[in-house]
Amino acid sequence: MNLTVIGLGLIGGSLALDLRAKGLAASVVGVDVNLEHCRLALNRGIVDRIAPLEEALRGSDMVVLAIPVDKIISLLPDVLDRVSAETTVSDMGSTKKAICGLVAGHSKRSQFVAAHPMAGTEHSGPAAALRGLFANRSAVICEAEQSASCHLRRVDEMFEVLQMKRVYMSADEHDLHTAFISHLSHAISFVLANTVLNKENSVSTIFDLASGGFESTSRLAKSSSAMWLPIFEQNREHVLSALEAYMENLRIFQQSLLNKSFDETKALMENANGIRRVLQNIRQASRGVVHE
C-alpha cells in the first residue's frame, strides 16, 4: 500500500512507523507545513519522502489526516476533491460530528472513513512518535454506513495491523463519550496546573514538593494548545456538559468537607475506588483484539 500521511506529529508519525515496520505500507509520503517536522520525519525514517499535497496524493492508496481538527475541517474537502476514485481517505481527529457533517454531501463521501484511534501521549511532534503506541487500544470508526465497504476494509486492516480493537458508533455518540473520558481529563489537567501556578509564587517550591501524584494528574497539562483548543471548540456542548457534571461532584466533595461529614467524604472516595475494577476490565479486554 502506498500511504500518504498529512501531519507528521505524534499520531501521524507513530502510525507511519508501525505501518512501515509491519509491512502494510510499502511507501510513506509525508505532508507537513512545519519544515522542522519534515526534516525530523525524514531523519527518523518515519517517511520515505516529503512532498507537496497535490504531488503526495497522486498514486496514493490511502491518505490519513493526522492534524488538529480545525485543520482537518479546512483540508478534508480539498483532499477528497483531489484523490482518485480508488483512494481511501481517513482522519485521526478527536472530534467527529463537525468533520462528518462537513463532508456529508460530498460526491466522494463514500471514500472517507471517519476514525479516531484512542491513543496518545502529552508530547507532540515527530520526535514524540513511537512504535507500539496503538497496540491494545481502541479505534473508533464513525458513520460506517456512509463509507464504501472497500474503504472500510482498508481502514479496518490498518487498525488490525496496529492491534487495535475496533468500535463503531455515530459521530455524536463519539463526541459525547470522548467528552467524558478524554476531553474532560485534559480540561481538568489544564485547570489544575493553572490553579497551582496561580497559587504558588515560587516555581522551585512546586518542583521541591511535587510528587508522583501531582505529576500524573497534571501530566496532560503539557498537551499542545494548538491541538486541544480546536477540540474544545468543536465539541463545546458535550465538554460543557462533562464539566458541569464534574463540578457538581466536586461541589458534593467540597460540601462534605465544609460540613465535616467525613463519613460522606470516605464514602465518596470508596465509591471512586470502583474505577479500579473498570480499568482492570478494560485492560483484560484489550489483551485480545476484538472486532465488534
Side-chain angles (χ1 to χ4, degrees), residues 91-284:
D91 80 300
M92 304 286 105
S94 295
T95 64
K96 282 289 160 279
K97 188 174 181 179
I99 292 169
C100 289
L102 174 73
V103 296
H106 197 284
S107 60
K108 294 181 180 177
R109 172 61 183 87
S110 63
Q111 293 177 233
F112 173 62
V113 180
H116 179 201
M118 302 295 293
T121 73
E122 70 274 25
H123 304 296
S124 59
L130 67 158
R131 291 179 183 169
L133 176 68
F134 306 101
N136 299 325
R137 303 286 186 172
S138 293
V140 183
I141 296 176
C142 294
E143 315 293 6
E145 70 280 0
Q146 301 297 323
S147 304
S149 58
C150 59
H151 298 295
L152 275 173
R153 280 196 299 272
R154 187 172 277 165
V155 172
D156 187 73
E157 181 185 14
M158 175 181 72
F159 287 136
E160 184 173 0
V161 166
L162 295 173
Q163 297 179 283
M164 301 194 79
K165 173 184 176 181
R166 275 79 75 198
V167 181
Y168 297 85
M169 60 182 66
S170 71
D172 194 55
E173 285 176 320
H174 167 275
D175 287 3
L176 171 62
H177 297 323
T178 54
F180 279 87
I181 64 170
S182 174
H183 305 169
L184 176 62
S185 58
H186 280 80
I188 292 169
S189 192
F190 287 128
V191 173
L192 172 63
N194 280 330
T195 301
V196 173
L197 290 171
N198 292 340
K199 185 67 175 177
E200 293 288 342
N201 294 321
S202 172
V203 175
S204 62
T205 301
I206 298 176
F207 290 153
D208 289 342
L209 299 181
S211 63
F214 176 77
E215 184 176 359
S216 62
T217 308
S218 61
R219 175 181 63 84
L220 296 177
K222 295 182 285 184
S223 299
S224 166
S225 61
M227 183 179 81
W228 277 95
L229 178 59
I231 291 172
F232 292 142
E233 289 178 344
Q234 288 189 21
N235 204 22
R236 176 178 171 272
E237 290 186 7
H238 288 316
V239 171
L240 284 172
S241 295
L243 282 169
E244 183 56 41
Y246 172 77
M247 288 188 289
E248 177 58 28
N249 280 282
L250 191 60
R251 284 191 288 267
I252 292 170
F253 194 92
Q254 179 191 42
Q255 197 64 41
S256 74
L257 293 176
L258 283 171
N259 295 338
K260 298 183 180 179
S261 302
F262 300 124
D263 286 343
E264 182 182 0
T265 308
K266 180 183 178 184
L268 290 169
M269 290 189 291
E270 289 177 345
N271 183 69
N273 290 159
I275 198 68
R276 182 188 299 117
R277 172 182 48 80
V278 175
L279 294 175
Q280 285 174 343
N281 290 341
I282 291 172
R283 282 193 293 269
Q284 290 170 1

Side-chain angles (χ1 to χ4, degrees), residues 8-9 13 17 30 32 35-48 50 126-127:
L8 301 174
L17 281 174
D32 201 302
L35 296 181
E36 180 62 13
H37 284 187
C38 293
R39 185 187 68 80
L40 283 172
L42 282 170
N43 288 347
R44 289 199 60 195
I46 292 173
V47 298
D48 296 298
I50 300 292

